[in-house]
Amino acid sequence: FMAGVFELFGPHLFPLHALQCVLEAGTAALVGVLGRALAGRRGAWAGVAYALYWPAVELPSRLLTENVQTVLLAGAIVALARGAEEDAAGRAGRRWSIAGAVLLGVSALARAIGLAFLPLVALWRLLGTARRTEGAAAIRLRRGLPAAAIVTVACLAPIAPWTARNVFVMGDPSPIESVSVYNVWANFAFVNESRFAVQQMIINKEADPAGRRSRVMHFAWRGITRHPEAFPVKVWTNFKH
């Protein structure tokens, strides 16, 4: 996204920030659409509330992948909700479900945390479809399986090439990325700057991603066990953040 903006407008931040504002405005509109779908006309005020929500106001001024991921995630939820609504009304909502699941997968490529929504969506479609059919519980669940399978496959489709790249090219069996583990180390190492630099040097000497991850978790676990009193304080600080 950034490369495309720089290619069109040159290496200047203003066009990028302006487009990020447009994306976040789109997110507010999508929240309003979702609110209206769930709560009628008054639900549209959810979009206004989101537009005035300080993190949403502040986010486009920073160069973070959330600027792309948030609008994709909101669009995915709106499309998935529309697909479920169409199915409940007896109409074919498959195209909306597929579109929403694909958007969910693409959003997860921007921020891997988006993939955490997939099992929830699959369970929702499985049980939701099952409740709308008659017959024994096993039969109802079996009828809900196609809806759950469709959203699962459609969500994983845009992720699969990246997973294959990680496994076969990089030798790293991660579905999307393996960087998040370093946040655990940075948060819970509980050492001063010089010792942290030494740990980083040791981690970088590992020959492959698996070895680096192992070192990272070792240092994080050592920090927690050596300084257990600091752990709840850090958790609370992160929670407030």
Side-chain angles (χ1 to χ4, degrees):
F1 174 72
M2 289 180 65
V5 173
F6 288 162
E7 183 68 25
L8 287 172
F9 302 104
H12 310 294
L13 290 180
F14 177 76
L16 182 60
H17 285 309
L19 281 173
Q20 289 183 166
C21 289
V22 172
L23 291 178
E24 197 64 3
T27 303
L30 288 167
V31 171
V33 170
L34 184 63
R36 184 161 186 166
L38 296 175
R41 293 181 61 184
R42 289 179 296 179
W45 284 99
V48 177
Y50 182 87
L52 299 176
Y53 180 51
W54 175 246
V57 175
E58 187 262 352
L59 181 63
S61 68
R62 306 177 68 186
L63 300 181
L64 295 170
T65 53
E66 284 88 343
N67 284 290
V68 176
Q69 191 256 353
T70 308
V71 67
L72 291 170
L73 180 61
I77 294 173
V78 168
L80 287 165
R82 177 69 179 271
E85 184 182 359
E86 294 281 319
D87 286 342
R91 300 186 293 270
R94 182 168 296 181
R95 61 180 181 177
W96 284 104
S97 296
I98 292 174
V102 169
L103 281 175
L104 183 61
V106 177
S107 79
L109 289 176
R111 289 284 292 172
I113 189 63
L115 194 58
F117 285 87
L118 176 58
L120 299 175
V121 171
L123 184 63
W124 166 48
R125 294 314 311 271
L126 173 67
L127 299 180
T129 305
R131 280 200 301 270
R132 291 192 298 270
T133 58
E134 297 179 357
I139 296 176
R140 293 201 305 271
L141 286 175
R142 199 159 53 240
R143 289 174 179 170
L145 279 174
I150 285 170
V151 297
T152 300
V153 172
C155 177
L156 294 178
I159 297 173
W162 189 257
T163 303
R165 172 259 187 195
N166 289 346
V167 174
F168 298 113
V169 178
M170 306 301 295
D172 182 6
S174 301
I176 299 173
E177 52 89 0
S178 57
V179 179
S180 299
V181 68
Y182 291 92
N183 291 337
V184 178
W185 166 52
N187 278 286
F188 301 114
F190 299 132
V191 291
N192 57 33
E193 290 186 11
S194 59
R195 190 171 292 274
F196 190 84
V198 171
Q199 290 184 358
Q200 188 170 26
M201 182 180 64
I202 294 172
I203 292 167
N204 290 337
K205 283 184 177 180
E206 293 291 337
D208 53 37
R212 289 191 287 274
R213 279 199 302 272
S214 178
R215 282 287 187 182
V216 162
M217 294 308 296
H218 168 73
F219 287 136
W221 180 246
R222 191 170 71 177
I224 293 171
T225 53
R226 288 185 176 181
H227 305 281
E229 74 287 349
F231 180 74
V233 176
K234 186 61 177 176
V235 170
W236 175 243
T237 301
N238 286 358
F239 176 77
K240 289 189 295 181
H241 170 72

